[in-house]
Amino acid sequence: MLNIAVCGSGRGSNFKSVLDAIASGRLRYCRIVIVFSNNADAGIFEHARRQGIPVLHWSRKMYATDDAYSAAMLAALREARADLIVLAGYMKFLPAPIIAAFKHRILNIHPALLPSFGGTGMYGLHVHRAVLAAHEPLTGATVHIVDEEYDHGPIVIQRTVPVLASDSPESLAARVLEMEHYILPEAIRLIAEGRITVEPGRTHVHIRSSQE
Ligand code: GRF
């Protein structure tokens, strides 16, 4: 069984896609053991509470020091026996001690084709506005392993989505979000099946076929 911790800051639709994939049996041998948010009112907490999943409001402001902040999350992760952390719309940077403790065991979903349209300021509709301003014919969604750099780290799954001449940032965001909801559970499935290896210096993880 793969024990998954999820971090999110907002509405939680990507988290919901993972819950649905578990409920439908598409994602097997996985369970969500805890949900963290820096925002006490986050929609992601509602989805978790409805299923009786423990939640933790965890933000830097609640702790006196950086060390106390990291230690609180690490203790909660340990108590929940988390194997994997999934950042599903998490708007903050995870502290370095957590990235180190969960090396290659943290996933992030980003609404563009990384390494393009990622990094500081590239979140929410800003991403889709930038894609439209650059007249890109294609955009997409990326799930990658988190490393110490923002929106960086080896790509697990990346899928393209067409940009239409009639698109607004909102319509493009909605089309990309549908793809996000497909690839996030897929990436978790690859990890649950033990099919991913991270090789140093590579931009993408190595994925073994299910027959290997
Ligand atoms: C998604 O577009 C995700 O890619 C980005 O933040 C958004 C979160 O949406 N990191 P939701 O909270 O999962 O609905």
Side-chain angles (χ1 to χ4, degrees):
M1 201 43 110
L2 185 73
N3 287 340
I4 304 171
V6 175
C7 300
S9 303
R11 94 200 126 178
S13 71
N14 276 291
F15 171 53
K16 176 78 169 36
S17 76
V18 177
L19 288 175
D20 290 348
I22 292 173
S24 73
R26 179 177 150 219
L27 198 48
R28 292 159 66 199
Y29 311 116
C30 292
R31 66 181 162 214
I32 311 292
V33 289
I34 188 165
V35 173
F36 295 88
S37 182
N38 56 303
N39 170 10
D41 303 321
I44 197 166
F45 275 172
E46 282 310 305
H47 292 301
R49 287 197 185 104
R50 230 171 278 143
Q51 303 225 2
I53 296 168
V55 301
L56 186 66
H57 176 212
W58 173 73
S59 101
R60 177 62 185 84
K61 281 177 266 170
M62 300 163 68
Y63 301 92
T65 63
D66 287 346
D67 283 353
Y69 172 54
S70 301
M73 189 192 205
L74 281 173
L77 288 165
R78 213 167 297 126
E79 197 187 319
R81 298 182 182 280
D83 303 306
L84 175 75
I85 303 174
V86 174
L87 307 185
Y90 187 58
M91 306 301 257
K92 300 278 175 188
F93 194 65
L94 274 188
I98 297 181
I99 298 176
F102 280 76
K103 194 172 168 50
H104 301 161
R105 290 187 295 144
I106 309 175
L107 290 179
N108 181 43
I109 176 113
H110 185 78
L113 297 174
L114 291 176
S116 300
F117 303 103
T120 314
M122 284 294 169
Y123 61 90
L125 288 178
H126 296 294
V127 177
H128 307 292
R129 280 192 201 111
V131 168
L132 289 172
H135 302 289
E136 296 286 343
L138 287 176
T139 184
T142 306
V143 178
H144 67 96
I145 305 259
V146 169
D147 65 11
E148 300 72 19
E149 264 179 75
Y150 198 67
D151 285 340
H152 191 259
I155 290 168
V156 180
I157 302 186
Q158 185 162 64
R159 289 282 183 280
T160 57
V161 170
V163 180
L164 307 182
S166 57
D167 265 330
S168 62
E170 290 78 9
S171 66
L172 190 53
R175 194 174 314 112
V176 170
L177 192 63
E178 270 182 50
M179 185 59 87
E180 294 181 47
H181 293 167
Y182 173 69
I183 67 172
L184 183 58
E186 276 310 292
I188 295 172
R189 188 170 63 81
L190 292 173
I191 292 191
E193 291 175 357
R195 289 169 52 197
I196 281 179
T197 325
V198 176
E199 292 164 349
R202 296 287 177 104
T203 57
H204 288 64
V205 301
H206 174 73
I207 300 175
R208 278 182 296 282
S209 77
S210 40
Q211 276 80 44
E212 271 177 63

